[in-house]
Amino acid sequence: MTNPKQARERTSERQTTNQESVEGDICPECQGQITQDSDRSETTCESCGLVFEENPVDRGPEWRAFTAEERDQKSRVGAPTTQLKHDKGLSTTIGWQDKDAYGQSISARKRSQLQRLRTWDERFRAKDAQERNLKQALGEINRMASALGLPKPVHETAGVLYRRAVEENLLPGRSIEGMSTASLYAAARQHGIPRRIIEFAEVSHVTEIRIQRAYRYLSRELNLEIEPEDPKRYLPQFASSLEVSDEAEQLSRELLEVATNNAVHSGKSPAGLAAAALYAATTLTNEKLTQKTVSNVAYVSRVTIRKRYQELLEVYSDHD
DNA sequence: GGGGTAAATACTTGCCT
DNA sequence: AGGCAAGTATTTACCCC
Protein backbone atom coordinates (compact mmCIF):
# COMPACT_ATOMS: atom_id res chain seq x y z
CA MET A 1 0.00 0.00 0.00
CA THR A 2 1.44 3.33 -0.91
CA ASN A 3 1.42 5.76 1.93
CA PRO A 4 0.62 9.24 0.66
CA LYS A 5 2.61 10.78 3.47
CA GLN A 6 5.59 8.74 2.51
CA ALA A 7 5.27 9.74 -1.10
CA ARG A 8 5.08 13.38 -0.13
CA GLU A 9 8.19 13.23 2.00
CA ARG A 10 10.15 11.42 -0.62
CA THR A 11 10.37 13.93 -3.32
CA SER A 12 12.89 12.65 -5.76
CA GLU A 13 16.11 14.56 -5.74
CA ARG A 14 18.10 12.50 -8.16
CA GLN A 15 20.83 14.52 -9.70
CA THR A 16 22.09 14.09 -13.19
CA THR A 17 25.26 15.48 -14.55
CA ASN A 18 24.22 17.94 -17.14
CA GLN A 19 27.55 19.52 -17.82
CA GLU A 20 28.30 19.74 -21.47
CA SER A 21 31.52 18.18 -22.46
CA VAL A 22 33.40 16.84 -25.42
CA GLU A 23 35.94 14.10 -25.72
CA GLY A 24 39.40 15.38 -24.94
CA ASP A 25 38.23 17.95 -22.45
CA ILE A 26 39.36 18.22 -18.89
CA CYS A 27 37.05 17.04 -16.16
CA PRO A 28 35.95 19.94 -13.93
CA GLU A 29 35.83 17.62 -10.93
CA CYS A 30 39.28 16.15 -10.92
CA GLN A 31 41.09 17.62 -13.93
CA GLY A 32 41.29 14.15 -15.51
CA GLN A 33 41.00 13.30 -19.18
CA ILE A 34 37.54 12.78 -20.62
CA THR A 35 36.99 9.88 -22.98
CA GLN A 36 34.24 8.00 -24.69
CA ASP A 37 33.96 4.29 -24.15
CA SER A 38 34.13 1.91 -27.07
CA ASP A 39 30.44 1.48 -27.78
CA ARG A 40 29.94 5.21 -27.44
CA SER A 41 27.25 4.83 -24.84
CA GLU A 42 28.96 7.01 -22.30
CA THR A 43 31.29 9.94 -22.10
CA THR A 44 33.20 9.68 -18.88
CA CYS A 45 36.16 11.05 -17.02
CA GLU A 46 39.06 8.58 -17.01
CA SER A 47 40.16 9.17 -13.47
CA CYS A 48 37.09 9.96 -11.45
CA GLY A 49 34.50 8.16 -13.54
CA LEU A 50 32.09 11.06 -13.68
CA VAL A 51 29.61 10.45 -16.45
CA PHE A 52 28.86 13.38 -18.71
CA GLU A 53 26.61 11.98 -21.34
CA GLU A 54 24.57 8.86 -21.36
CA ASN A 55 22.42 9.42 -24.41
CA PRO A 56 24.81 10.11 -27.22
CA VAL A 57 23.66 11.43 -30.56
CA ASP A 58 23.44 9.15 -33.56
CA ARG A 59 26.82 9.35 -35.23
CA GLY A 60 25.79 7.94 -38.57
CA PRO A 61 25.55 4.56 -40.19
CA GLU A 62 27.03 1.53 -38.51
CA TRP A 63 28.59 0.37 -41.80
CA ARG A 64 31.57 1.63 -43.71
CA ALA A 65 32.03 1.76 -47.47
CA PHE A 66 35.28 2.06 -49.32
CA THR A 67 34.09 2.28 -52.90
CA ALA A 68 31.14 3.91 -54.56
CA GLU A 69 29.74 0.48 -55.37
CA GLU A 70 29.85 -0.61 -51.78
CA ARG A 71 28.15 2.57 -50.73
CA ASP A 72 25.29 1.89 -53.10
CA GLN A 73 24.90 -1.61 -51.81
CA LYS A 74 25.06 -0.83 -48.17
CA SER A 75 23.23 2.40 -47.84
CA ARG A 76 19.61 2.25 -46.90
CA VAL A 77 16.96 4.88 -46.84
CA GLY A 78 14.82 6.04 -44.01
CA ALA A 79 15.10 6.47 -40.30
CA PRO A 80 16.40 3.62 -38.20
CA THR A 81 13.68 1.42 -36.82
CA THR A 82 12.90 1.73 -33.17
CA GLN A 83 10.90 -0.24 -30.63
CA LEU A 84 9.73 3.05 -29.22
CA LYS A 85 7.07 3.66 -31.84
CA HIS A 86 4.12 1.36 -32.17
CA ASP A 87 4.90 0.68 -35.84
CA LYS A 88 8.66 0.67 -35.25
CA GLY A 89 8.96 3.99 -37.05
CA LEU A 90 8.24 2.56 -40.46
CA SER A 91 4.98 4.27 -41.36
CA THR A 92 4.48 7.12 -43.79
CA THR A 93 1.91 9.82 -43.40
CA ILE A 94 -0.28 11.56 -45.92
CA GLY A 95 0.58 15.21 -45.65
CA TRP A 96 -1.93 17.79 -44.50
CA GLN A 97 -1.26 20.34 -47.20
CA ASP A 98 -3.59 20.37 -50.20
CA LYS A 99 -0.69 20.51 -52.60
CA ASP A 100 0.65 18.02 -55.08
CA ALA A 101 4.23 16.85 -55.26
CA TYR A 102 5.22 19.98 -57.16
CA GLY A 103 3.65 22.31 -54.63
CA GLN A 104 0.69 23.21 -56.85
CA SER A 105 -2.74 23.55 -55.31
CA ILE A 106 -5.12 20.79 -56.23
CA SER A 107 -8.74 20.68 -57.23
CA ALA A 108 -11.67 20.56 -54.85
CA ARG A 109 -12.51 17.08 -56.00
CA LYS A 110 -9.04 15.80 -55.35
CA ARG A 111 -9.08 17.59 -52.05
CA SER A 112 -12.05 15.71 -50.73
CA GLN A 113 -10.57 12.50 -52.04
CA LEU A 114 -7.42 13.27 -50.15
CA GLN A 115 -9.39 13.98 -47.04
CA ARG A 116 -10.96 10.54 -47.19
CA LEU A 117 -7.54 9.02 -47.73
CA ARG A 118 -6.23 10.79 -44.69
CA THR A 119 -9.06 9.48 -42.63
CA TRP A 120 -8.28 5.93 -43.62
CA ASP A 121 -4.60 6.55 -43.24
CA GLU A 122 -5.25 7.50 -39.65
CA ARG A 123 -7.51 4.54 -39.09
CA PHE A 124 -4.89 2.15 -40.32
CA ARG A 125 -2.12 3.79 -38.43
CA ALA A 126 -3.72 3.07 -35.11
CA LYS A 127 -5.49 0.11 -36.56
CA ASP A 128 -7.24 -1.36 -33.61
CA ALA A 129 -7.41 -1.17 -29.86
CA GLN A 130 -4.21 -3.09 -29.49
CA GLU A 131 -2.18 -0.76 -31.63
CA ARG A 132 -3.51 2.33 -29.93
CA ASN A 133 -2.84 0.73 -26.61
CA LEU A 134 0.71 0.07 -27.68
CA LYS A 135 1.13 3.61 -28.84
CA GLN A 136 0.07 5.00 -25.52
CA ALA A 137 2.15 2.56 -23.53
CA LEU A 138 5.31 3.29 -25.48
CA GLY A 139 4.76 6.97 -24.93
CA GLU A 140 4.45 6.35 -21.22
CA ILE A 141 7.56 4.21 -21.14
CA ASN A 142 9.48 6.91 -22.92
CA ARG A 143 8.32 9.60 -20.58
CA MET A 144 9.03 7.67 -17.40
CA ALA A 145 12.42 6.48 -18.58
CA SER A 146 13.45 10.04 -19.27
CA ALA A 147 12.17 11.19 -15.92
CA LEU A 148 14.23 8.54 -14.18
CA GLY A 149 17.28 9.09 -16.32
CA LEU A 150 17.35 5.58 -17.73
CA PRO A 151 19.47 5.18 -20.86
CA LYS A 152 18.11 4.37 -24.30
CA PRO A 153 18.81 0.62 -24.33
CA VAL A 154 16.52 0.31 -21.33
CA HIS A 155 13.70 2.15 -23.16
CA GLU A 156 14.12 -0.26 -26.03
CA THR A 157 14.06 -3.34 -23.86
CA ALA A 158 10.98 -2.08 -22.07
CA GLY A 159 9.35 -1.57 -25.46
CA VAL A 160 10.15 -5.13 -26.47
CA LEU A 161 8.79 -6.51 -23.22
CA TYR A 162 5.58 -4.57 -23.54
CA ARG A 163 5.16 -5.65 -27.13
CA ARG A 164 5.58 -9.26 -26.09
CA ALA A 165 3.01 -8.77 -23.36
CA VAL A 166 0.55 -7.48 -25.93
CA GLU A 167 1.29 -10.32 -28.33
CA GLU A 168 0.77 -12.91 -25.63
CA ASN A 169 -2.50 -11.30 -24.74
CA LEU A 170 -1.50 -10.44 -21.21
CA LEU A 171 -3.17 -7.05 -21.26
CA PRO A 172 -6.88 -7.73 -20.96
CA GLY A 173 -8.03 -6.78 -17.52
CA ARG A 174 -4.86 -4.88 -16.67
CA SER A 175 -4.07 -1.23 -16.88
CA ILE A 176 -1.81 0.05 -19.61
CA GLU A 177 0.00 2.23 -17.13
CA GLY A 178 0.65 -0.63 -14.78
CA MET A 179 2.00 -2.90 -17.47
CA SER A 180 4.15 -0.30 -19.13
CA THR A 181 5.62 0.69 -15.79
CA ALA A 182 6.29 -2.94 -14.97
CA SER A 183 7.97 -3.41 -18.35
CA LEU A 184 10.26 -0.51 -17.69
CA TYR A 185 11.07 -1.73 -14.22
CA ALA A 186 11.87 -5.19 -15.56
CA ALA A 187 14.00 -3.72 -18.34
CA ALA A 188 16.00 -1.64 -15.87
CA ARG A 189 16.68 -4.72 -13.80
CA GLN A 190 17.69 -6.74 -16.83
CA HIS A 191 20.18 -4.05 -17.68
CA GLY A 192 21.63 -4.12 -14.20
CA ILE A 193 20.64 -0.56 -13.39
CA PRO A 194 17.79 -1.13 -10.96
CA ARG A 195 15.59 1.62 -9.60
CA ARG A 196 13.30 1.29 -6.61
CA ILE A 197 9.70 0.56 -7.48
CA ILE A 198 8.63 3.59 -5.51
CA GLU A 199 10.54 5.79 -7.94
CA PHE A 200 8.44 4.41 -10.76
CA ALA A 201 5.36 5.00 -8.69
CA GLU A 202 6.33 8.66 -8.41
CA VAL A 203 6.59 9.22 -12.14
CA SER A 204 3.56 7.16 -13.10
CA HIS A 205 0.01 7.16 -11.90
CA VAL A 206 0.26 3.66 -10.57
CA THR A 207 0.70 2.70 -6.95
CA GLU A 208 3.74 0.80 -5.81
CA ILE A 209 1.81 -2.35 -5.10
CA ARG A 210 0.19 -2.40 -8.52
CA ILE A 211 3.54 -2.09 -10.21
CA GLN A 212 4.84 -4.90 -8.09
CA ARG A 213 1.91 -7.09 -9.03
CA ALA A 214 2.12 -6.26 -12.70
CA TYR A 215 5.84 -6.96 -12.65
CA ARG A 216 5.39 -10.34 -11.03
CA TYR A 217 2.74 -11.24 -13.55
CA LEU A 218 4.84 -10.09 -16.47
CA SER A 219 7.92 -11.86 -15.21
CA ARG A 220 6.04 -15.09 -14.69
CA GLU A 221 4.14 -15.08 -17.97
CA LEU A 222 7.10 -14.14 -20.11
CA ASN A 223 9.52 -16.35 -18.17
CA LEU A 224 11.88 -13.44 -17.73
CA GLU A 225 14.10 -15.17 -15.18
CA ILE A 226 15.49 -11.97 -13.81
CA GLU A 227 18.16 -12.52 -11.21
CA PRO A 228 17.66 -11.24 -7.70
CA GLU A 229 18.88 -7.73 -7.24
CA ASP A 230 22.53 -7.32 -6.41
CA PRO A 231 23.05 -4.60 -3.78
CA LYS A 232 26.24 -3.49 -5.54
CA ARG A 233 24.17 -2.44 -8.55
CA TYR A 234 22.67 0.34 -6.49
CA LEU A 235 26.00 1.77 -5.44
CA PRO A 236 26.81 3.85 -8.53
CA GLN A 237 23.52 5.76 -8.52
CA PHE A 238 23.45 6.28 -4.77
CA ALA A 239 27.09 7.31 -4.70
CA SER A 240 26.56 9.73 -7.51
CA SER A 241 23.47 11.32 -5.96
CA LEU A 242 25.19 11.66 -2.62
CA GLU A 243 28.46 12.84 -4.12
CA VAL A 244 30.64 10.58 -2.05
CA SER A 245 34.29 9.93 -2.82
CA ASP A 246 35.46 7.06 -5.02
CA GLU A 247 37.25 5.76 -2.00
CA ALA A 248 34.01 5.47 -0.06
CA GLU A 249 32.23 3.86 -2.98
CA GLN A 250 35.00 1.31 -3.31
CA LEU A 251 34.93 0.66 0.40
CA SER A 252 31.20 0.09 0.42
CA ARG A 253 31.69 -2.39 -2.38
CA GLU A 254 34.11 -4.31 -0.17
CA LEU A 255 31.70 -4.17 2.73
CA LEU A 256 29.03 -5.72 0.57
CA GLU A 257 31.40 -8.43 -0.65
CA VAL A 258 32.25 -9.44 2.88
CA ALA A 259 28.59 -9.40 3.85
CA THR A 260 27.71 -11.60 0.89
CA ASN A 261 30.47 -14.05 1.72
CA ASN A 262 29.21 -14.33 5.24
CA ALA A 263 25.64 -14.77 4.07
CA VAL A 264 24.46 -11.91 6.24
CA HIS A 265 22.66 -10.44 3.29
CA SER A 266 20.01 -13.05 2.55
CA GLY A 267 16.49 -11.93 3.09
CA LYS A 268 17.48 -8.30 3.42
CA SER A 269 16.48 -5.68 0.92
CA PRO A 270 19.30 -5.05 -1.57
CA ALA A 271 18.72 -1.32 -1.64
CA GLY A 272 18.82 -1.20 2.14
CA LEU A 273 22.13 -3.01 2.15
CA ALA A 274 23.60 -0.75 -0.49
CA ALA A 275 22.49 2.36 1.37
CA ALA A 276 23.89 1.06 4.63
CA ALA A 277 27.18 0.06 3.03
CA LEU A 278 27.56 3.52 1.61
CA TYR A 279 26.77 5.13 4.93
CA ALA A 280 29.15 2.82 6.77
CA ALA A 281 31.89 3.59 4.28
CA THR A 282 31.50 7.33 4.69
CA THR A 283 31.83 7.07 8.44
CA LEU A 284 35.09 5.21 7.88
CA THR A 285 36.37 7.79 5.45
CA ASN A 286 35.19 10.65 7.64
CA GLU A 287 32.83 12.06 5.08
CA LYS A 288 29.95 13.69 6.79
CA LEU A 289 26.79 12.20 5.47
CA THR A 290 23.73 11.88 7.66
CA GLN A 291 21.55 8.82 7.81
CA LYS A 292 18.66 10.98 6.82
CA THR A 293 20.31 12.12 3.60
CA VAL A 294 21.13 8.57 2.61
CA SER A 295 17.66 7.52 3.61
CA ASN A 296 16.15 10.09 1.28
CA VAL A 297 18.03 9.20 -1.87
CA ALA A 298 17.88 5.46 -1.30
CA TYR A 299 14.25 5.30 -0.19
CA VAL A 300 15.21 3.29 2.85
CA SER A 301 14.28 4.21 6.41
CA ARG A 302 16.84 5.47 8.89
CA VAL A 303 16.16 2.51 11.14
CA THR A 304 17.01 0.04 8.41
CA ILE A 305 20.18 1.88 7.52
CA ARG A 306 21.24 1.81 11.15
CA LYS A 307 20.59 -1.87 11.61
CA ARG A 308 22.27 -2.87 8.37
CA TYR A 309 25.30 -0.69 8.75
CA GLN A 310 25.98 -2.02 12.23
CA GLU A 311 25.80 -5.57 10.92
CA LEU A 312 28.03 -4.71 8.02
CA LEU A 313 30.72 -3.21 10.21
CA GLU A 314 30.50 -6.17 12.54
CA VAL A 315 31.15 -8.82 9.92
CA TYR A 316 33.74 -6.62 8.31
CA SER A 317 35.84 -6.27 11.46
CA ASP A 318 35.41 -9.94 12.35
CA HIS A 319 36.16 -11.50 9.02
CA ASP A 320 39.03 -9.57 7.63
C1' DG B 1 22.95 14.80 14.80
C1' DG B 2 23.12 9.40 16.40
C1' DG B 3 20.99 5.66 18.62
C1' DG B 4 17.12 2.88 20.62
C1' DT B 5 12.43 0.62 20.75
C1' DA B 6 7.38 -0.87 20.19
C1' DA B 7 3.73 -1.35 17.26
C1' DA B 8 1.97 -1.46 12.65
C1' DT B 9 2.55 -3.12 8.22
C1' DA B 10 4.52 -5.77 4.32
C1' DC B 11 6.42 -9.82 2.28
C1' DT B 12 7.56 -14.89 2.13
C1' DT B 13 6.87 -19.42 2.98
C1' DG B 14 4.53 -23.38 4.04
C1' DC B 15 0.37 -25.60 4.93
C1' DC B 16 -4.35 -26.51 4.15
C1' DT B 17 -8.48 -26.97 1.57
C1' DA C 1 -6.78 -21.57 -6.65
C1' DG C 2 -6.94 -19.21 -2.81
C1' DG C 3 -6.91 -18.49 2.24
C1' DC C 4 -4.51 -18.57 6.46
C1' DA C 5 -0.77 -18.44 9.89
C1' DA C 6 3.91 -17.78 11.33
C1' DG C 7 8.24 -15.67 10.83
C1' DT C 8 11.05 -12.03 9.24
C1' DA C 9 12.02 -7.35 7.48
C1' DT C 10 10.81 -2.70 7.18
C1' DT C 11 8.57 1.52 8.41
C1' DT C 12 6.48 4.80 11.51
C1' DA C 13 6.42 7.32 15.54
C1' DC C 14 8.24 8.12 19.66
C1' DC C 15 11.96 8.34 22.97
C1' DC C 16 16.75 9.67 24.99
C1' DC C 17 21.58 11.27 24.63
Side-chain angles (χ1 to χ4, degrees):
Chain A
M1 218 54 62
T2 307
N3 187 334
K5 197 168 177 191
Q6 172 184 325
R8 203 186 323 131
E9 234 175 63
R10 289 169 161 169
T11 41
S12 180
E13 288 174 35
R14 183 165 307 289
Q15 296 172 356
T16 45
T17 312
N18 280 328
Q19 289 144 10
E20 299 224 350
S21 182
V22 210
E23 183 167 21
D25 268 6
I26 299 299
C27 170
E29 289 289 318
C30 70
Q31 318 303 320
Q33 189 74 16
I34 291 166
T35 55
Q36 257 177 6
D37 65 5
S38 51
D39 65 0
R40 300 235 151 117
S41 63
E42 280 184 347
T43 310
T44 54
C45 166
E46 264 185 349
S47 49
C48 72
L50 188 64
V51 179
F52 289 88
E53 270 181 70
E54 277 181 331
N55 302 314
V57 293
D58 186 347
R59 306 206 180 243
E62 83 286 12
W63 46 265
R64 289 203 294 168
F66 301 96
T67 65
E69 249 184 318
E70 251 179 76
R71 208 183 320 278
D72 280 347
Q73 273 175 10
K74 289 183 177 172
S75 72
R76 305 176 295 264
V77 170
T81 60
T82 170
Q83 292 290 344
L84 299 178
K85 293 223 176 122
H86 75 294
D87 52 11
K88 304 189 188 178
L90 287 173
S91 63
T92 49
T93 315
I94 298 179
W96 56 272
Q97 284 176 319
D98 291 322
K99 300 268 175 73
D100 65 15
Y102 301 100
Q104 310 286 331
S105 294
I106 52 183
S107 69
R109 221 188 107 157
K110 287 274 179 203
R111 259 209 296 281
S112 62
Q113 220 171 43
L114 254 184
Q115 196 49 258
R116 287 199 298 278
L117 275 172
R118 279 193 205 102
T119 307
W120 281 103
D121 192 31
E122 276 308 313
R123 282 178 193 167
F124 280 116
R125 180 157 307 108
K127 182 161 96 263
D128 50 30
Q130 238 183 27
E131 285 292 296
R132 253 175 277 129
N133 174 329
L134 200 50
K135 215 169 169 176
Q136 187 187 341
L138 294 173
E140 277 300 305
I141 286 173
N142 238 341
R143 185 184 60 75
M144 292 189 286
S146 310
L148 293 173
L150 293 166
K152 192 85 172 281
V154 178
H155 300 212
E156 299 271 352
T157 306
V160 175
L161 290 179
Y162 192 87
R163 194 178 287 275
R164 280 182 61 197
V166 171
E167 278 160 11
E168 308 227 352
N169 240 331
L170 302 182
L171 267 301
R174 316 236 157 206
S175 80
I176 295 175
E177 276 248 300
M179 285 306 267
S180 49
T181 315
S183 305
L184 188 58
Y185 172 72
R189 283 188 58 167
Q190 281 188 331
H191 282 261
I193 35 181
R195 291 286 138 91
R196 314 286 325 264
I197 292 188
I198 189 171
E199 297 182 66
F200 290 93
E202 278 175 3
V203 296
S204 71
H205 304 119
V206 191
T207 60
E208 207 178 340
I209 190 162
R210 290 197 176 281
I211 299 172
Q212 179 102 44
R213 271 211 277 264
Y215 165 69
R216 250 194 260 279
Y217 177 66
L218 190 73
S219 153
R220 180 162 32 93
E221 297 299 322
L222 298 182
N223 298 315
L224 294 184
E225 292 179 14
I226 294 177
E227 292 168 22
E229 294 177 286
D230 177 354
K232 290 198 281 291
R233 297 284 199 186
Y234 280 106
L235 287 180
Q237 33 162 336
F238 290 172
S240 158
S241 302
L242 293 166
E243 297 179 330
V244 302
S245 66
D246 289 351
E247 196 192 350
E249 191 182 338
Q250 194 50 44
L251 188 53
S252 43
R253 199 160 299 245
E254 277 174 43
L255 285 166
L256 289 177
E257 301 264 345
V258 175
T260 314
N261 292 337
N262 288 283
V264 198
H265 67 300
S266 68
K268 311 290 201 304
S269 97
L273 277 162
L278 215 46
Y279 176 75
T282 56
T283 61
L284 295 179
T285 56
N286 282 324
E287 284 167 62
K288 41 174 188 272
L289 204 60
T290 69
Q291 295 177 352
K292 191 169 190 302
T293 324
V294 182
S295 162
N296 279 337
V297 315
Y299 297 92
V300 174
S301 76
R302 284 196 308 147
V303 180
T304 305
I305 292 177
R306 264 205 294 276
K307 284 173 86 167
R308 287 298 93 74
Y309 109 88
Q310 284 161 352
E311 286 168 13
L312 286 176
L313 289 182
E314 205 174 308
V315 291
Y316 191 63
S317 56
D318 281 357
H319 258 78
D320 191 34

